[in-house]
Amino acid sequence: MKSVLIFCTIDVNLSELEYLAAHLDPFECHRLIAALHYTSYELPKSLAGAERKINQDIPCLLQLLHWNMSEKEGKGKTHEEIEHRLRQLNRNDLADWFGKTVFKQLGNDLGRAIQNPFGKLGEHETENS
């Protein structure tokens, strides 16, 4: 069996994280980052303890990128983690946008894979036939 290295969430790209960072105010971003550190489905009644641990001087995008690529955080997870937490923080507008955008990108990626399933290898073999 071939092993696959996963360096971040498996279905979220940089431009999607940039959009989220641009549309969250600093308070909302700190709450989202704090919420993403919980592994339980439900959030605790108060995020205040976790929010105090978030460095306020680090820009939102960098915090999202750190979560996205860190072991025992976002690495290997899906967009569902972020979307779920956005809904819990009453940012359904961003959660809706995020879910639609990720699925659209996945659909585009799947379409490209179906059109050219072997990538450059398939092109090379066709030329040599």
Side-chain angles (χ1 to χ4, degrees):
M1 179 173 202
K2 184 179 175 182
S3 63
V4 177
L5 294 176
I6 298 175
F7 297 106
C8 57
T9 51
I10 59 175
D11 60 357
V12 177
N13 64 39
L14 176 60
S15 61
E16 293 159 351
L17 293 177
E18 287 173 331
Y19 184 90
L20 287 180
H23 288 84
L24 291 167
D25 67 38
F27 175 75
E28 291 173 319
C29 185
H30 292 130
R31 287 184 54 81
L32 175 61
I33 297 300
L36 288 169
H37 285 90
Y38 286 94
T39 57
S40 62
Y41 184 79
E42 295 297 329
L43 288 177
K45 298 222 185 279
S46 173
L47 287 176
E51 285 179 66
R52 282 192 290 274
K53 294 178 183 177
I54 305 298
N55 187 334
Q56 309 261 334
D57 297 328
I58 299 174
C60 186
L61 179 59
L62 291 180
Q63 291 187 46
L64 288 169
L65 288 170
H66 175 77
W67 176 86
N68 188 51
M69 295 184 284
S70 297
E71 291 283 339
K72 298 181 182 174
E73 290 185 35
K75 186 175 177 180
K77 296 182 180 174
T78 70
H79 76 281
E80 287 290 326
E81 298 284 328
I82 298 172
E83 187 177 350
H84 176 67
R85 294 304 187 205
L86 285 168
R87 290 190 191 291
Q88 288 178 316
L89 299 173
N90 295 319
R91 284 307 306 262
N92 291 327
D93 58 326
L94 283 177
D96 291 343
W97 173 87
F98 193 63
K100 280 192 259 185
T101 302
V102 169
F103 279 118
K104 182 177 181 182
Q105 186 61 47
L106 288 172
N108 292 342
D109 293 345
L110 182 59
R112 279 192 298 278
I114 289 171
Q115 295 237 326
N116 192 7
F118 300 107
K120 292 191 184 281
L121 175 64
E123 291 172 13
H124 179 69
E125 297 213 356
T126 303
E127 292 171 2
N128 291 336
S129 297

